Each structure stands twice: as structure tokens, then as C-alpha cells.
Amino acid sequence: ERNAGEPLTANHFPCELHFTVVEVDPATGEEEGGTFEEEYPLEDLEISTSDFMAKVTVPDFRKAWETMGNGNEVLEKFALQFKKMDEAVSAVIAFLGMQPCDGTGQLKPNAGNKPHMLHMSGAFVSGQQVLARAQIALQEGSGVILKIAVRSDDESVSRMVADCIH
């Protein structure tokens, strides 16, 4: 259970399955022989900031963006190691866990190497509406450059969301 007073952080937890093995007669289904304890290692459970985000669609992204204002806006610039624009767009959506708006989740056909503007919205677990505008541009020889602006009612939430990019 999440303690609402504690700050949210990305984390990982080791996981292990503990169980009791019981020998059973396949013909009768009756227990026969002894039992013994067994454990089986599982993959670590990773919790990222995007796990605290719900995908929420806004009817008019531009209006919502203007209404929210830039008081708690966080601006960042990243170099991503993708060679294709469509892979970068999908990755940014996955990193943030937000809903693409206005059809910006897909590249336009014949877009070439033009920068792509991605609009996303979501609701953070603490209830804040979060909006993000991401410009994704392919730089020859150096991968993809991402410029992102994140807005919410709480600057710490905006910062946490912007820091999801990896």
C-alpha cells in the first residue's frame, strides 16, 4: 500500500515464489508421501513513474495547454539512442505512460525527417492533470533529439514526469 505522505520514486523489488510441493497419486488424487518447501526466483518488479499515471484524453489539447499555463512547467532536452522516428515516438509514449492526443501518437505519412510534435495527457496518482508537448527530431548520425515541456498543477509532478525519459 502506498503511503500518500511519502514522495513517489521509481524502484525495483526482488521477487521470489515460495510454495509447498505435495506428492499426489495421479490416479486417486490422494496425497501420498511427504511434502517439502520450495522457492523459485522471479524477475524483479520494476515500478517507474509511468506506473503512477493514468491515460486520460482531453477533448481539446491546445485549450487545456493554454488554460493550465506555464507556472509549473518543466522544460528538458534529451538525446535518445533511436535510429527511427516511429520507434522514438512509441518509446516516449511508453516512458511517460500518457495518452497521445489529437492523433499525434502516429507519424504522418511522408513526414520525412521533419520534427514531429507529440501531445500527451494523463492524470497522476495524486489527482493532478498532466500535459506534455514533445518535439521529436531525427539528427543525422546522432539519433533523436527530444525537447519536452511538461505542465501540471504541481511543479514536483511536472519534474517527476519529465525525468521519466531514459
Side-chain angles (χ1 to χ4, degrees), residues 86-154:
D86 58 343
E87 292 172 357
V89 170
S90 297
V92 170
I93 293 168
F95 290 156
L96 300 180
M98 298 173 74
Q99 178 68 40
C101 300
D102 305 329
T104 60
Q106 300 290 325
L107 293 176
K108 291 182 175 63
N110 305 320
N113 286 343
K114 290 182 183 175
H116 178 74
M117 187 59 77
L118 175 62
H119 295 165
M120 294 168 287
S121 65
F124 202 64
V125 70
S126 49
Q128 287 96 345
Q129 180 183 28
V130 181
L131 300 173
R133 290 176 66 176
Q135 182 186 43
I136 302 166
L138 190 60
Q139 299 282 38
E140 287 302 320
S142 64
V144 171
I145 301 298
L146 168 68
K147 294 178 186 174
I148 188 165
V150 180
R151 291 182 178 182
S152 74
D153 293 333
D154 182 340

Side-chain angles (χ1 to χ4, degrees), residues 30-46:
E30 300 277 326
E31 187 177 321
E32 64 178 40
T35 64
F36 58 95
E37 300 298 311
E38 188 68 71
E39 50 189 57
Y40 183 78
L42 301 172
E43 290 182 30
D44 286 358
L45 173 64
E46 290 190 39

Side-chain angles (χ1 to χ4, degrees), residues 49 83 91 161:
T49 308
K83 302 293 182 214
V161 172

